[in-house]
Amino acid sequence: MSNPNNLQHLIGFVLLLSQFFIFLSHANVPRPSFSNLLDVSSRFPSLSFEDSYSVLWGEPAISEDGNQIQLRLDDHSGSGFVSHDNYLYGFYSASIKLPADYTAGIVLAFYASNSDEFPKYHDELDFEFLGNVKGKPWRMQTNIYGNGSVARGREERFNLWFDPTTGFHDYSILWNDEHIVFMVDNIPIREMRKSEALGGDYPSKPMALYATMWDGSPWATDGGKYPVNYKYAPFFTSFRNLKLIGCAANPIVEEQQSDQCKDLENQSAIRAAEMLSLSSDQLAALKWVRSNHLYYTYCDDKGRYSVPLPECTSEASTPVAKKRRPHKKRSGRSTHSTPANSGQRERNLIERTEGLQIERSQTGLREGFSLPISRRVPHKGNRKTQQ
Ligand SMILES: *[C@@H]1O[C@H](CO)[C@@H](O)[C@H](O)[C@H]1NC(C)=O
Ligand SMILES: *[C@@H]1O[C@H](CO)[C@@H](O)[C@H](O)[C@H]1NC(C)=O
């Protein structure tokens, strides 16, 4: 053992062995039978576009019966839609089919937010899909912001266990006063339970639902290396089975509204016993997804949070990713080209975004994913079309 070469070999061997066991523990989560899973989505009715949404910007195509919507991105504009109302707690869901082939630089966001009403301390729940070059898969990430916690990104990134461009899949967010659950085809992929320690970081003000498709060329794919290529435009993302349940609430009159929302019928649907915690089948499915398809979680990012955020260490926290991908440092800015008709408000948004971006790169944070979607999409101008 006195030979330093031997010692090096031994250390190398031990490291290899530990990698092997990490690999084993990883591969050992059996794929559960998803047929036992509670079909959460079928509990709630689909709504037609006119009943619940309006066009936010651009020119989405809406089918005659109002049950299918296509967001469009071309070299002229992206597009988006937004719910008429804000909802205090809710179930937000849609079946979505993403565009195929070359989609680098494209961002498709399906999210709840109240940044229009509370620009300084908004809440946000995000599904975000990032396009890719031909032959490489879309990537999906989720994020949660509560009461303006914009300095604390809670990103988690997943690869999908299916091709999201060949068929429709359900992407859903259940949000009540016990927990937030992100689901894909009713399979829970992420849960955040409400706790004292989270304080205001647990979203608890009414939010509207948004779907937007836009050009994220400067950062979305490999840190901006692959921008949108409009040779392949127009790009379409299709939506159907739009579901939106909750207590429609005026976000400004907060407290009064939350009383009003306490025992309405819509609340009981999202507060039914099986909506308040995950069953053992759901937990098994959650574990399977997180062991096999989660490749980044903020909980595991020691470089970013030397003291993990409260939910990462609590009993209730969900398992963390074991595999780590090296993170490239992103250079450049994270805003994207501004759709036509953008007004002063939108310019402000961009400026604010850039300000934050600079701050972030100075503190050594990475990838520009850490901004709320609502601060990256300069589109809010024509929202106020209804009373
Ligand atoms: C949210 O932030 C506002 C403004 O900072 C603060 O007054 C309020 O108490 C916070 N709410 C919660 C639930 O923490
Ligand atoms: C309950 O949900 C339905 C469907 O979204 C909606 O039309 C209705 O306005 C909601 N009721 C309340 C009181 O929010």
Side-chain angles (χ1 to χ4, degrees), residues 45 47 51-52 85 87 244-249 260 264-266:
L47 305 170
D51 284 349
S52 317
D85 290 313
Y87 295 86
L244 181 49
I245 288 292
C247 178
Q260 183 189 317
L264 290 176
E265 208 181 300
N266 287 347

Side-chain angles (χ1 to χ4, degrees), residues 120-121 146-148 198-202 204-205 254:
K120 295 227 170 78
Y121 47 109
N147 210 34
L198 275 174
D201 283 15
Y202 191 87
S204 41
K205 301 191 291 298
E254 234 176 299

Side-chain angles (χ1 to χ4, degrees), residues 295-315:
Y295 67 86
Y296 171 85
T297 168
Y298 68 104
C299 280
D300 207 15
D301 192 340
K302 304 281 187 311
R304 186 170 171 197
Y305 297 114
S306 53
V307 178
L309 295 181
E311 69 277 15
C312 297
T313 49
S314 79
E315 267 304 293

Side-chain angles (χ1 to χ4, degrees), residues 18 54 58 96 121 178 191-192 223 230 270 311 317 367 371-372:
S18 65
S54 45
I96 302 174
Y121 47 109
E178 291 287 330
E191 180 191 29
M192 182 196 257
Y230 286 103
I270 58 167
E311 69 277 15
S317 79
E367 283 195 293
L371 289 170

